[in-house]
């Protein structure tokens, strides 16, 4: 059998893997899927598992020596490997199980290429680590962030590790926030791709170090390559010392959000 992934660069592998997962998610949509309990109210479905298998099939074919950290399958290969892929096969499982199409498939090479696929729009947002693009209907368009929409996605999902110092819900009630922005709650990291693409002005979430998270790594890479301002909710660079995430289309928007967060 000919390996169709031979010769792809890392961005090509990320795109192919994300598309493979997105095809599974799209094709299984609407089926009655058994839930796999993961504790604390979290769960996976057969779509999560099968999408991850499809993604890993691409990565193994294209990069057999690379390590992988998958949301469902865990660590495969050395955790300290120089090259490690971070895979979230279905970001927005609760949405998906409820018949909501706001979901994403995330594939990222740590500190390298990444792709975020929307299974239902057919869009694949991707970066080679330098520039960010969206591929749709066979055409690639370079991403350009802008705060023109004034729409800001705020993740309200628990846990809230930075409370009481920071509560996302308090941000929504901040008079300055309401005056300058319009809140949205998408509950999937597809929102990060939308910031990179100019469909959102910003994204805010609490959390720990999200730079190596299977949920956030691909979206962070996209936003950084698109020229967005990316920090923790304390304004510090993301990484082991940081926590949470504030991604803004430009410095002005980031500054406004940080001033509101710091007053919470």
């Amino acid at each position: 059998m000919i390996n169709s992934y031979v010769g792809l660069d890392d961005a090509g592998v990320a795109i192919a893997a994300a598309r493979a997962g997105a095809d599974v998610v799209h094709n299984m949509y609407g089926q009655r899927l058994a839930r796999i309990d993961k504790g604390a109210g979290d769960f996976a479905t057969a779509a999560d598992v099968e999408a991850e298998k499809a993604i890993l099939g691409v990565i193994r074919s294209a990069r057999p020596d690379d390590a992988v950290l998958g949301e469902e399958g865990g660590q495969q290969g050395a955790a300290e490997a120089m090259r490690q892929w971070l895979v979230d096969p279905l970001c927005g499982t609760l949405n998906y199980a409820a018949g909501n199409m706001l979901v994403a498939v995330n594939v990222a090479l740590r500190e390298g290429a990444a792709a975020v696929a929307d299974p239902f729009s057919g869009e694949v947002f991707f970066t080679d680590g330098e520039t960010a693009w969206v591929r749709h209907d066979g055409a690639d368009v370079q991403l350009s962030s802008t705060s023109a929409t004034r729409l800001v996605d705020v993740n309200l999902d628990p846990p809230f590790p930075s409370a009481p110092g920071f509560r996302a819900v308090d941000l929504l009630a901040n008079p300055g926030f309401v005056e300058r922005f319009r809140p949205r709650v998408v509950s999937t990291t597809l929102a990060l791709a939308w910031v990179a693409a100019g469909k959102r002005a910003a994204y805010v979430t609490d959390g720990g170090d999200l730079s190596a998270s299977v949920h956030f790594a691909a979206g962070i890479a996209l936003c950084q390559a698109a020229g967005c301002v990316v920090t923790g909710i304390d304004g510090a660079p993301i990484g082991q010392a940081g926590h949470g995430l504030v991604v803004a289309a430009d410095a002005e928007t980031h500054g406004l959000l940080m001033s509101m967060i710091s007053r919470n």
Side-chain angles (χ1 to χ4, degrees):
M1 181 181 294
I2 298 174
N3 186 344
S4 60
Y5 307 113
V6 169
L8 290 178
D9 61 12
D10 288 337
V13 174
I15 293 167
R19 275 184 162 168
D23 285 344
V24 172
V25 171
H26 184 275
N27 292 337
M28 295 184 73
Y29 180 74
Q31 298 181 23
R32 296 190 64 178
L33 302 172
R35 298 188 178 190
I36 304 164
D37 183 31
K38 299 168 72 172
D42 193 14
F43 64 91
T45 70
D48 298 70
V49 175
E50 293 304 315
E52 185 163 305
K53 288 179 181 178
I55 292 167
L56 294 185
V58 173
I59 295 173
R60 286 172 180 150
S61 295
R63 302 289 189 271
D65 297 326
D66 289 359
V68 177
L69 176 61
E71 166 72 2
E72 308 309 329
Q75 182 69 45
Q76 300 183 35
E80 67 276 8
M82 292 292 293
R83 290 176 56 88
Q84 183 181 54
W85 294 87
L86 305 171
V87 174
D88 184 356
L90 177 48
C91 182
T93 299
L94 183 57
N95 283 349
Y96 188 78
N100 188 312
M101 294 182 180
L102 286 173
V103 301
V105 176
N106 300 327
V107 178
L109 178 64
R110 290 191 69 168
E111 300 182 8
V116 175
D118 183 334
F120 299 104
S121 73
E123 294 173 308
V124 181
F125 305 88
F126 67 94
T127 177
D128 57 3
E130 300 292 336
T131 309
W133 305 77
V134 60
R135 180 170 296 176
H136 191 227
D137 292 335
D140 291 349
V141 177
Q142 188 170 344
L143 297 183
S144 178
S145 61
T146 173
S147 60
T149 66
R150 296 196 300 157
L151 300 177
V152 175
D153 265 296
V154 181
N155 181 10
L156 301 178
D157 291 338
F160 309 112
S162 295
F166 169 73
R167 292 180 184 272
V169 68
D170 293 336
L171 182 62
L172 303 185
N174 184 301
F177 183 88
V178 176
E179 178 183 350
R180 294 175 174 86
F181 302 112
R182 292 294 177 267
R184 293 293 183 271
V185 183
V186 170
S187 298
T188 170
T189 52
L190 184 62
L192 280 173
W194 289 350
V195 177
K199 298 181 180 182
R200 292 288 192 267
Y203 176 89
V204 180
T205 184
D206 197 355
D209 171 20
L210 303 180
S211 61
S213 164
V214 296
H215 305 291
F216 290 93
I220 289 171
L222 276 173
C223 290
Q224 289 175 327
C228 302
V229 180
V230 182
T231 72
I233 56 173
D234 57 356
I238 58 170
Q240 293 184 357
H243 54 95
L245 195 63
V246 177
V247 177
D250 52 48
E252 180 182 6
T253 300
H254 184 269
L256 284 170
L257 288 172
M258 291 308 305
S259 68
M260 298 170 195
I261 289 170
S262 64
R263 289 200 296 267
N264 279 346

